[in-house]
Amino acid sequence: MATNFWTSTHYKELLDQEEVDVVHNLDKQRGITLDDFKLIKLHMTNYIARLAQNVKVRQRVVATAVTYMRRVYTRRSMTEYDPRLLAPSCLYLASKSEESTVQARLLVFYIKKIYSDEKYRCDIKEILEMEMKILEALNYYLIVFHPYHALPQLVNDAGMSDATQLTWGLVNDTYKMDLILIHPPHLIGLACIYAASVFKEKDNAAWFEDLRADMNVVKNIAMEILDFYDTHKMITDERVNAAMHKLTTRI
């Protein structure tokens, strides 16, 4: 596995926001808007997290699965790759790439348990077939770097040990956005520490200055995280269901 982010495929495949915010033509034909696109990805992020909780895998596996899902949708449409099958299949693949393998039959069991809606139902064969399609869509590049590794040390160095849980929660929430496709993970981690400093009303300006990180980028990411919390309050089940319903309507 690559140990240097800057020489990894993850770094080489970072995208601009404009490249991420693209609704594919097949999805547009179903009436899916950019807002719908983001809502569905958020819903599937929560779905992956819920499944992962049931099959008991580490947060890193969840983060990798969500990254795969979000990366696939920069290249393939939701019409071709149904999110309700893609999400558990990404979790299955991530569990293997992160060496915490979960059996497909266990995922199938918990999907039935979590969702009564038959549209979410799938069998082992479908997960295995979708896994191959995901591998192809990702060009078999499975390495994902996350902010978690350096986070404890950074939080400690920043004198923010009392905000460890808060910062960790902020990092987890960044996967509800597309930040991992756009920014290096260490900057996302720093942005979460910056946001935690704002919440805790702690002045860490000198510490950030010593790091010589690009503070404009760090602050912009932090603002995006804080903005997400504001807009998240306005997301209702009705809006999510309406977006998901567009996937099932015939063109």
Side-chain angles (χ1 to χ4, degrees), residues 16-185:
D16 294 328
Q17 186 74 55
E18 296 75 23
E19 294 174 292
V20 173
D21 288 342
V22 174
V23 181
H24 297 275
N25 285 329
L26 281 173
D27 295 337
K28 282 181 183 175
Q29 289 170 30
R30 291 182 179 275
I32 292 172
T33 63
L34 181 56
D35 279 346
D36 293 331
F37 186 46
K38 290 180 177 180
L39 272 178
I40 293 168
K41 287 190 290 184
L42 174 60
H43 180 52
M44 288 303 128
T45 299
N46 293 334
Y47 179 26
I48 288 170
R50 197 172 170 195
L51 260 182
Q53 202 172 18
N54 279 275
V55 298
K56 296 179 172 52
V57 291
R58 296 172 299 143
Q59 176 58 32
R60 185 184 175 88
V61 179
V62 176
T64 296
V66 171
T67 305
Y68 290 167
M69 180 266 293
R70 290 180 177 275
R71 198 175 278 168
V72 165
Y73 285 134
T74 63
R75 302 167 183 184
R76 303 288 191 273
S77 70
M78 290 182 171
T79 300
E80 297 169 291
Y81 286 55
D82 189 321
R84 287 159 292 216
L85 177 57
L86 183 78
S89 303
C90 283
L91 183 59
Y92 177 66
L93 178 57
S95 76
K96 291 201 281 187
S97 65
E98 294 292 350
E99 299 176 352
S100 298
T101 306
V102 172
Q103 292 184 335
R105 63 180 177 80
L106 198 59
L107 289 171
V108 170
F109 171 79
Y110 280 111
I111 290 165
K112 287 178 183 173
K113 196 173 177 183
I114 292 169
Y115 280 105
S116 56
D117 186 345
E118 289 203 1
K119 293 186 185 74
Y120 286 84
R121 300 284 173 90
C122 59
D123 57 34
I124 294 170
K125 183 171 178 281
E126 287 174 314
I127 288 176
L128 298 181
E129 286 173 353
M130 180 56 83
E131 179 193 21
M132 296 310 297
K133 290 175 74 175
I134 294 165
L135 284 166
E136 190 181 330
L138 296 176
N139 295 324
Y140 298 87
Y141 295 150
L142 301 181
I143 294 168
V144 181
F145 286 79
H146 298 289
Y148 298 111
H149 180 67
L151 198 64
Q153 186 65 52
L154 287 170
V155 169
N156 193 51
D157 290 350
M160 295 281 291
S161 297
D162 61 329
T164 300
Q165 200 170 349
L166 170 62
T167 309
W168 202 272
L170 288 165
V171 171
N172 290 347
D173 284 344
T174 63
Y175 290 89
K176 296 177 180 178
M177 297 164 267
D178 290 306
L179 294 173
I180 196 68
L181 303 185
I182 299 165
H183 301 287

